[in-house]
Amino acid sequence: MATLNIVLVEPQIPQNTGNISRTCAVTGARLHLVGPMGFVIDDKKLKRAGLDYWDKLDISYYDGLDDFFSKNSGYFYYFTTKGLHRHSDVSYPDGAYLVFGREDAGLPEELLFNNPGTAVRIPMRPTLRSLNLSNSVAIAAYEVLRQWDYPDLQDSGELRNYSWEDAGV
């Protein structure tokens, strides 16, 4: 099975992290939380947003970026409004790490400056600041999974009270 890694650097809003944890759970992505965080993991808002998916996560915690990079290697893609490349123009390899910064500050500029080839952005109107973090993660994760042809994900559903066959499908 292909491996997708979602990395949150110093997340500040528990609801965003809860939503992202749910995205990771339903897609099979690994979640990496890099501290310090603006909340504690037992925060009710965090668990409420993630609902009952928290125990379905493959999750790792780190004390900071140095700790994260000392324990992980591979292909890192830095999602930022300052990126030089469109996220959809990149081919993501198995094991890719999609790295996202704080809601209020983004990723450290030195990190971006040192990695211009993998600093990517989700296109948006120039007069607006940014997308919500959990929306950005979902867009990025599903772009990677689309490129990989949605490995191990169910791509059709069943109606509860009807049958698609009865509809002539």
Side-chain angles (χ1 to χ4, degrees):
M1 177 176 158
T3 301
L4 176 60
N5 295 282
I6 303 297
V7 183
L8 304 182
V9 178
E10 300 182 13
Q12 300 298 300
I13 301 173
Q15 295 92 327
N16 280 336
T17 301
N19 289 336
I20 292 164
S21 70
R22 186 173 182 158
T23 297
C24 289
V26 302
T27 61
R30 293 180 178 163
L31 179 60
H32 303 262
L33 296 178
V34 180
M37 295 183 286
F39 52 87
V40 292
I41 292 303
D42 63 358
D43 189 306
K44 286 182 187 178
K45 293 176 185 171
L46 174 72
K47 295 220 174 173
R48 182 174 166 197
L51 295 174
D52 56 347
Y53 293 87
W54 198 253
D55 64 327
K56 310 285 189 275
L57 284 172
D58 180 353
I59 188 168
S60 299
Y61 301 93
Y62 306 90
D63 290 328
L65 275 174
D66 290 340
D67 184 32
F68 169 76
F69 284 118
S70 73
K71 294 176 180 169
N72 296 285
S73 61
Y75 299 97
F76 300 96
Y77 299 90
Y78 303 98
F79 281 74
T80 173
T81 59
K82 302 167 183 79
L84 295 173
H85 312 283
R86 288 191 306 193
H87 76 292
S88 55
D89 291 340
V90 173
S91 293
Y92 300 92
D94 184 10
Y97 290 83
L98 310 185
V99 183
F100 299 83
R102 291 173 57 130
E103 291 93 336
D104 60 346
L107 291 166
E109 231 174 59
E110 180 180 10
L111 182 65
L112 301 175
F113 181 78
N114 290 327
N115 296 282
T118 55
V120 298
R121 70 177 280 116
I122 299 169
M124 63 187 138
R125 292 171 56 197
T127 57
L128 301 173
R129 189 174 60 247
S130 64
L131 287 165
N132 173 276
L133 179 62
S134 63
N135 291 337
S136 296
V137 170
I139 290 167
Y142 272 91
E143 171 58 23
V144 173
L145 294 169
R146 182 196 66 79
Q147 289 182 17
W148 296 352
D149 198 29
Y150 304 103
D152 300 317
L153 299 182
Q154 182 178 351
D155 59 1
S156 64
E158 293 295 324
L159 298 171
R160 197 171 328 171
N161 298 315
Y162 298 93
S163 167
W164 284 120
E165 291 82 26
D166 293 341
V169 179

